[in-house]
Amino acid sequence: MTLRTGLCFWIVALLAGAHSAVATPMPFQRESPLQRYSWHLKDGKPFQVGIESDNYLSLINDGYDAFLLRVHLIRNAEFSIDIQTFILANDECGQFLTQELIQAARRGVKVRMLVDHFMSSRDRKWVAYLASVHPNFELRYYRPPTGQIDPSKIALLVHSIVFFQQTNQRMHNKIMIVDDAIAVTGGRNIDNHYYNNSLTYNFVDLDALVLGPIIGPMESSFDEFWRYRRSIPAEDLGDVSSIIRRRVDLDSEEFMPVSPYFERINRDADDPAEIQKRFVDTLAPVQRLRFLADKPGKNSLIGFWGGGKATRQLQRAIRRSEEELLMQSPYLILNGSGRRHFRKMRRQHPEMEITVSTNSFAATDNTLAYSANYKLRNAYIEMIDMNIFEYMPHPRELPDYLPNHVELADAARAAGFENEPFLCIHAKTFVVDNEIGYVGSYNIDPRSRNLNTEVGLLIEDPSVVAQLRNIILGRTRPENSWVIARKELALSEVNFLVEGLFGLSPVDLWPIRSTSSFELIPGKEAVHTDHPDFYMNYKDVGSFPGAEPGSVKQLTTSLYKMFNTLAIPIL
């Protein structure tokens, strides 16, 4: 059997749920796109166009499915698993997934895991356990400061001051590649919040399952980061190696989570019919697929405006927009350069619709980042004419994206939480003129533009782009989002001018915002913010709907808005 023939059989068996090498593919109820791709390989026909064609893709829009897919792929890997993630949390999902990876390593699979240090768990004992659990399991950290997994606050502060730009340059990539043949990429990290398993907030996110020649450049990017001089083996970190050298008892039972959530995952991950329905049947060929990736280290210029390869490629795609640009991002922070680019697009195409779906104050997981959006959105509305929709924490679509909400709410109350779990946008998705789609890790903020390394897929396929468009527009519906619009103010033009001047100053003390959040009045028709009936059909619900007036979070946001001018380049 040739390598290519064996690979085709393996791909079918992998997604069908086989646990060992097989002589023939597992039978399906009908011929799937995955099978057609496999027969293409089996027959030895060369690719006709190259890495941008002959690829298959499925969008993973559900948190449970996203976790199930990862578990299933790990269990069925045969020789390699490569994972890149911005966050590795020592919570239930983090522990469960790492245990699955350890089991894969023990059966002979080579596991490489590259984790950014900044927001990942700093539990020395857990990291020491992972670093020493098996020779086939390798763990590295991107840019750990002072050579420690858990440096002291003083050491971290000194390092951040002395090496300010290096400290802020992070690896935001999210990639999982199995056996050099199939991959998952998008916005999800390894943390309860991404997989419908958090008692506080749960992310609405998006991944793409891909297979085909596109895996080549994805693997090359991973290898480049893996070899980067700032990617440090976990066992070489001072406080981790100390635990390993002292032969501290690292009990695996300490890191074995138990939850009804995992009982269902265990059942579904080994059920070929479930895998067929959720993932195989949804795979479809894409006309053109390109992988965007920054280089490790990103820009090395002095300052915070150098950009990177992924930034430039994504900007070129966005600038092709002439009629409609849809963007979804958890954060909406455009620095001066970003605003100038969008104003130029607006001048060139005055009738173009620019629509942004992002988080509201009540739904955000990052108050500091939201404060920058709150500060700048007057410019977005007045100078760029954006249509901005801010996602509600408990939208009408909540049961669709968090079907276990009741169970999580009961568990939250039992744990002493005052509020019910809510939804928060984390997807990073763009659609350009119904022709180009993007799914990846890139946020609309200066960090993604200039500091964090990012990855993603540019997709040119009518069917997939239509799916992305429907996802974004669905979240902008009145029952799911508040719309941002101009307030009905006397002397509104004067207020806009004064607000803009204060916004340029280091301390923004102007209290009157020119924009506010609006909610559709029951029984009224949804209309555009420029429609003559807008103010009759919508009511002004203030700057912070969905939150208690005078809350600590609200006061904090207002304070951040006053003093965050200098911080915007690194938000």
Side-chain angles (χ1 to χ4, degrees), residues 374 377-378 381-382 483-493 495-496 499 510-518 529 534-535 538-545:
Y374 176 58
R377 70 187 188 190
N378 182 39
I381 297 293
E382 297 288 349
V483 60
I484 305 302
R486 301 169 181 85
K487 286 183 179 179
E488 291 186 293
L489 291 173
L491 302 175
S492 60
E493 295 300 324
N495 188 77
F496 164 72
E499 182 181 350
W510 188 248
I512 305 173
R513 300 288 96 183
S514 295
T515 61
S516 188
S517 304
F518 287 80
T529 55
F534 177 78
Y535 295 102
Y538 288 76
K539 63 178 178 180
D540 186 338
V541 291
S543 296
F544 306 109

Side-chain angles (χ1 to χ4, degrees), residues 6 22 47 53 74 99 114 128 301 360 369 383 397 421 425 454 468:
V22 292
F47 295 118
S53 63
I74 291 170
Q99 288 297 328
L114 180 57
L301 299 178
S360 66
M383 301 173 69
E397 66 181 10
I425 286 176
E454 307 289 356
L468 293 174

Side-chain angles (χ1 to χ4, degrees), residues 285-348:
V286 287
Q287 291 181 355
R288 190 182 187 201
L289 192 62
R290 286 174 286 167
F291 179 66
L292 312 185
D294 283 316
K295 299 289 185 181
K298 197 135 183 184
N299 89 67
S300 58
L301 299 178
I302 298 175
F304 304 104
W305 51 82
K309 185 178 180 182
T311 297
R312 292 189 294 272
Q313 291 174 312
L314 190 54
Q315 282 179 339
R316 282 197 291 269
I318 289 174
R319 287 170 184 163
R320 289 174 56 179
S321 182
E322 297 181 359
E323 298 176 358
E324 181 186 62
L325 174 62
L326 300 179
M327 300 182 289
Q328 185 161 83
S329 169
Y331 319 118
L332 176 56
I333 310 171
L334 293 173
N335 59 11
S337 175
R339 296 196 296 275
R340 286 192 294 274
H341 282 304
F342 276 97
R343 287 201 301 271
K344 182 178 179 180
M345 290 176 62
R346 171 59 66 203
R347 289 193 298 271
Q348 292 173 339

Side-chain angles (χ1 to χ4, degrees), residues 549-569:
S551 66
V552 174
K553 183 178 177 181
Q554 181 175 331
L555 293 174
T556 302
T557 300
S558 297
L559 287 173
Y560 283 156
K561 185 270 297 181
M562 292 181 188
F563 301 104
N564 65 10
T565 300
L566 297 179
I568 284 175

Side-chain angles (χ1 to χ4, degrees), residues 324-425:
E324 181 186 62
L325 174 62
L326 300 179
M327 300 182 289
Q328 185 161 83
S329 169
Y331 319 118
L332 176 56
I333 310 171
L334 293 173
N335 59 11
S337 175
R339 296 196 296 275
R340 286 192 294 274
H341 282 304
F342 276 97
R343 287 201 301 271
K344 182 178 179 180
M345 290 176 62
R346 171 59 66 203
R347 289 193 298 271
Q348 292 173 339
H349 308 287
E351 301 302 318
M352 179 174 63
E353 290 286 332
I354 304 176
T355 299
V356 181
S357 168
T358 188
N359 282 311
S360 66
F361 168 79
T364 188
D365 67 315
N366 190 326
T367 304
L368 179 58
Y370 184 83
S371 71
N373 168 24
Y374 176 58
K375 180 191 191 78
L376 296 169
R377 70 187 188 190
N378 182 39
Y380 305 153
I381 297 293
E382 297 288 349
M383 301 173 69
I384 305 175
D385 194 20
M386 284 182 165
N387 306 311
I388 301 173
F389 296 87
E390 295 193 345
Y391 200 56
M392 299 174 178
H394 295 96
R396 186 176 295 177
E397 66 181 10
L398 185 146
D400 298 328
Y401 288 97
L402 196 62
N404 58 332
H405 178 261
V406 173
E407 292 89 340
L408 291 175
D410 290 342
R413 282 190 293 270
F417 290 98
E418 295 183 2
N419 300 316
E420 289 188 356
F422 62 90
L423 289 181
C424 172
I425 286 176

